[in-house]
Amino acid sequence: QVQLVESGGGLVQAGGSLRLSCTASGITFRLNRAGWYRQAPGKQRELVAFIRSIGSTNYADSVKGRFTISRDNAKNTVDLQMNSLKPEDTAVYYCNLLQTTSWGQVTDYWGQGTQVTVSS
């Protein structure tokens, strides 16, 4: 059974920093793309950043230069360092693992979400 457990959310003032962490279990973490999504009230869930198994990364334009995603395959963790936070970063942040099998089956796994609130 795959489990993703997030931690590190909270309340921070604009301009501040937070670090989110996600620990995976029940899956061969190093083989899968890992990422973070977020969903603000009344909006659709959107991609924030992901990191491939080989370590290359991709970011939403809105967070480029402010957020950094990293992974530790030995610890089965994916982290999101968030700097220069803005009120518009307020959302529930979800950890994601994208598993693609050798025969092409794709499965998304999600964490339970962690709230990030940025006050102005």
Side-chain angles (χ1 to χ4, degrees):
Q1 180 182 357
V2 178
Q3 282 193 317
L4 303 178
V5 180
E6 299 124 335
S7 61
L11 173 64
V12 66
Q13 287 190 331
S17 298
L18 282 175
R19 188 176 183 88
L20 305 182
S21 186
C22 173
T23 303
S25 60
I27 193 169
T28 308
F29 177 78
R30 61 182 171 81
L31 298 180
N32 300 289
R33 193 188 87 174
W36 289 91
Y37 288 70
R38 66 187 182 187
Q39 187 167 18
K43 294 189 176 181
Q44 289 189 329
R45 190 173 297 189
E46 63 176 3
L47 173 70
V48 176
F50 65 78
I51 182 166
R52 299 177 181 88
S53 58
I54 60 173
S56 58
T57 58
N58 206 0
Y59 295 90
D61 287 343
S62 59
V63 307
K64 281 181 182 176
R66 301 188 297 122
F67 291 10
T68 302
I69 190 170
S70 60
R71 67 189 296 161
D72 185 335
N73 290 334
K75 296 181 179 179
N76 285 3
T77 58
V78 55
D79 291 351
L80 185 69
Q81 177 65 43
M82 305 185 294
N83 299 328
S84 302
L85 282 160
K86 304 175 180 180
E88 51 263 43
D89 294 318
T90 295
V92 177
Y93 283 69
Y94 296 91
C95 178
N96 170 264
L97 282 188
L98 183 69
Q99 181 188 52
T100 303
T101 64
S102 58
W103 57 93
Q105 180 180 348
V106 178
T107 304
D108 271 308
Y109 297 99
W110 296 94
Q112 79 283 0
T114 186
Q115 177 70 47
V116 171
T117 303
V118 185
S119 62
S120 56

